[in-house]
Amino acid sequence: KQWYQRRVRADEGTALTQFLSNCYASSNLTLTWKSGRDPCSDKNWRGVLCEDDISVSSITLNNAGLNCSLDPLVGLTSLKTLSLASNSLQGTIPDGFSTLPLEVLVLSNNKLWGTLPNSLTNLNFLTLDLHNNNLIGTIPALLVSETDYLDLSSNKLGGFLPKTFGDFVADSFVNVSNNLLSGNLAFYATPTNFTVDVSCNNFRTVQAWCANSTCKLCSRN
């Protein structure tokens, strides 16, 4: 068992340093992430937390000057929290993220492009924050109905909202503003127990749909 745990940590250390090797990053990060070292037994890995000192469960590196792709992080098989907001991350959101036990994914204020992988609906997100990127395509159905905090604002998402839009968890927060979404909101359940922002899209009947809710509007509506 100890051999297996050491092997897991070594593999995760390799995934982390591979991720970093493709990045420009702040100097204090490159000084603490060292190839060949164990990210769980070596407590100096900035932004990295481990569960029971066995495997990496959390990475928080907001505003760290990262400008690479996310692909190597798919190798972190126990990752529950990934927060890399306000960097310059590029590329697409890996489809392989669906194999991780992610509960919190914060990639806002980056330069990510491409579509939202349908496979993300296999995860049980508590928080999914992807606002202010260059994401295109449509919004997967289950993604909007089973997430407590969902922010997809300020992207280039288009088409119609999923039919499940409106079937949210009580007290949840949903923001899809500043996209290219369209359609008639009268076909969706009126929001009564969650906060929603659908402003600055191409919807019809926005004001009527939001009349008795916490909806936000903008001049385009």
Side-chain angles (χ1 to χ4, degrees):
K1 182 178 180 180
Q2 290 180 348
W3 174 88
Y4 173 76
Q5 291 174 352
R6 287 195 299 270
R7 176 61 184 272
V8 168
R9 294 197 297 265
D11 290 346
E12 292 184 334
T14 299
L16 288 170
T17 52
Q18 181 182 355
F19 168 69
L20 188 60
S21 68
N22 296 321
C23 286
Y24 169 81
S26 57
S27 59
N28 59 343
L29 180 58
T30 56
L31 288 173
T32 60
W33 285 26
K34 294 294 186 179
S35 179
R37 292 187 180 178
D38 182 346
C40 292
S41 61
D42 186 345
K43 306 299 183 182
N44 294 321
W45 285 56
R46 178 190 164 202
V48 176
L49 295 177
C50 294
E51 188 172 82
D52 299 325
D53 290 331
I54 296 175
S55 58
V56 175
S57 61
S58 174
I59 301 174
T60 301
L61 290 171
N62 302 318
N63 196 25
L66 303 172
N67 67 344
C68 47
S69 75
L70 297 165
D71 293 326
L73 299 181
V74 173
L76 304 177
T77 57
S78 299
L79 191 64
K80 295 181 180 179
T81 297
L82 179 62
S83 183
L84 302 176
S86 301
N87 284 286
S88 297
L89 297 172
Q90 302 179 39
T92 60
I93 298 173
D95 187 68
F97 273 3
S98 63
T99 65
L100 308 181
L102 281 169
E103 297 176 349
V104 175
L105 180 60
V106 180
L107 302 174
S108 55
N109 297 309
N110 279 288
K111 299 178 181 179
L112 298 170
W113 63 76
T115 60
L116 292 169
N118 284 315
S119 58
L120 290 181
T121 60
N122 297 329
L123 300 172
N124 296 316
F125 285 114
L126 299 175
T127 296
L128 178 60
D129 187 352
L130 304 176
H131 83 266
N132 197 23
N133 280 284
N134 297 304
L135 300 174
I136 61 173
T138 58
I139 302 175
L142 292 178
L143 204 61
V144 300
S145 60
E146 298 185 2
T147 305
D148 292 339
Y149 183 101
L150 176 66
D151 193 345
L152 302 176
S153 63
S154 299
N155 281 286
K156 299 175 183 178
L157 299 168
F160 299 115
L161 290 171
K163 294 181 180 179
T164 54
F165 193 81
D167 299 331
F168 298 106
V169 179
D171 301 320
S172 59
F173 172 88
V174 180
N175 189 349
V176 294
S177 65
N178 288 288
N179 279 289
L180 304 172
L181 299 165
S182 59
N184 190 339
L185 288 175
F187 294 121
Y188 300 95
T190 302
T192 56
N193 60 352
F194 58 91
T195 301
V196 61
D197 188 346
V198 295
S199 62
C200 300
N201 281 286
N202 300 310
F203 293 122
R204 288 179 287 163
T205 65
V206 174
Q207 293 187 2
W209 192 70
C210 293
N212 298 313
S213 72
T214 53
C215 278
K216 299 178 181 179
L217 303 175
C218 78
S219 58
R220 279 172 52 186
N221 297 128

